[in-house]
Amino acid sequence: MNLISVLLRQLDRSSPGSSATAEQVLSMLGSIRPQSSLFVGDEVCTPRLVSGKFGGTLKAAFTDEFRAEQGREAGLDSTTVQLFELPGENGSFDLIWYNGIVEFDGCAQRLEQLRQKLKKGGTLVYRAVSWLTEPSPDTRVFCQRRFGQILPLDKVLVMAKEQGWKVQDFYIAPKSDWHAGYYVPLVESAEKYAGIHKEDSSVSLGMSELRKEAGIFDAHCEEYSCVYYILKG
């Protein structure tokens, strides 16, 4: 387990986000009444909010057993899955909330995979890192290495429509989701860890990479962010 993986276990979430953003996106879903929901992500706040708002049954899927155990302790029906794996039978869910952050297979393939699990007419919240403007060359190279395949926001909307989705809305995560919700607590945790493990060269390397990533976001935060796409199947 590398330094970042160790540190993330000390945080409430393993990627940018906030309860305020989850509540905002929830408010944009309209008058749906899902009886069965699926959450796929890396924190327990959002699925608890979804369950509290809609009731019904909710399955929370995590790629980390540590997060799954947090979910169970919070009263969620939690399960552990492999990266990009989705639980449940095809056509099982009225609502799927997919908090993606790394996308190696591409948006088109992920949307098709998610559609298979969604009931006809169901709602999908699909989070992905997207370009908000044309990125600088250095930002593009770094972000694609860090987050995988990234598409411009408008291209995701066009692609979704071409696949037959109805685009209901979208929400761009604010900068605070990256700062207060991720980088600030992660760097603070890393600095404490580095102070204890001063002789570990891998720690200094991990700190360097972390500061580089946070610095790139600070300098280029107008170019990319997490976007929550609200789609109807």
Side-chain angles (χ1 to χ4, degrees):
M1 186 178 295
N2 62 27
L3 171 65
I4 302 301
S5 298
V6 171
L7 297 176
L8 287 175
R9 290 192 168 192
Q10 302 175 30
L11 306 185
D12 292 335
R13 62 187 72 249
S14 302
S15 61
S18 67
S19 58
T21 287
E23 290 171 348
Q24 174 62 35
V25 175
L26 270 173
S27 73
M28 299 166 66
L29 298 185
S31 57
I32 63 172
R33 293 291 183 269
Q35 297 301 305
S36 57
S37 303
L38 170 65
F39 171 82
V40 183
D42 56 26
E43 42 90 9
V44 302
C45 173
T46 299
R48 291 182 68 185
L49 289 171
V50 172
S51 182
K53 181 176 178 65
F54 297 122
T57 62
L58 182 141
K59 172 74 72 175
F62 306 90
T63 57
D64 189 333
E65 176 58 31
F66 177 78
R67 294 292 185 202
E69 181 58 30
Q70 283 186 327
R72 286 188 282 270
E73 291 174 356
L76 297 172
D77 178 11
S78 297
T79 188
T80 306
V81 295
Q82 297 297 314
L83 188 63
F84 307 128
E85 178 187 3
L86 300 176
E89 300 294 326
N90 288 348
S92 299
F93 303 103
D94 300 302
L95 169 66
I96 298 178
W97 188 306
Y98 183 86
N99 266 2
I101 189 69
V102 175
E103 188 59 89
F104 293 123
D105 296 331
C107 172
Q109 182 171 330
R110 190 70 53 230
L111 289 177
E112 285 294 346
Q113 180 192 24
L114 289 161
R115 183 199 295 276
Q116 291 177 5
K117 300 294 182 179
L118 196 66
K119 291 181 181 178
K120 185 175 178 60
T123 300
L124 169 64
V125 176
Y126 171 66
R127 187 187 77 171
V129 177
S130 300
W131 300 124
L132 307 181
T133 64
E134 181 65 26
S136 64
D138 288 347
T139 306
R140 181 183 295 276
V141 170
F142 180 85
C143 287
Q144 289 183 336
R145 186 173 72 245
R146 170 67 173 83
F147 301 114
Q149 298 185 35
I150 305 176
L151 293 177
L153 188 160
D154 57 348
K155 188 169 183 179
V156 175
L157 296 177
V158 170
M159 179 182 297
K161 291 177 181 178
E162 289 176 347
Q163 289 187 352
W165 295 93
K166 177 184 177 183
V167 177
Q168 180 170 318
D169 216 332
F170 65 87
Y171 180 74
I172 300 172
K175 299 174 187 176
S176 57
D177 278 15
W178 295 77
H179 285 293
Y182 186 62
Y183 286 128
V184 169
L186 185 56
V187 169
E188 288 177 350
S189 181
E191 289 173 345
K192 292 178 182 178
Y193 188 90
I196 298 172
H197 301 82
K198 296 178 181 179
E199 306 303 320
D200 189 341
S201 60
S202 66
V203 173
S204 60
L205 179 60
M207 285 290 297
S208 176
E209 286 298 311
L210 176 56
R211 288 195 177 103
K212 178 181 178 181
E213 180 176 329
I216 286 177
F217 180 76
D218 284 339
H220 302 280
C221 57
E222 304 298 334
E223 299 175 19
Y224 65 97
S225 189
C226 293
V227 179
Y228 294 78
Y229 300 93
I230 302 173
L231 310 174
K232 301 287 286 188

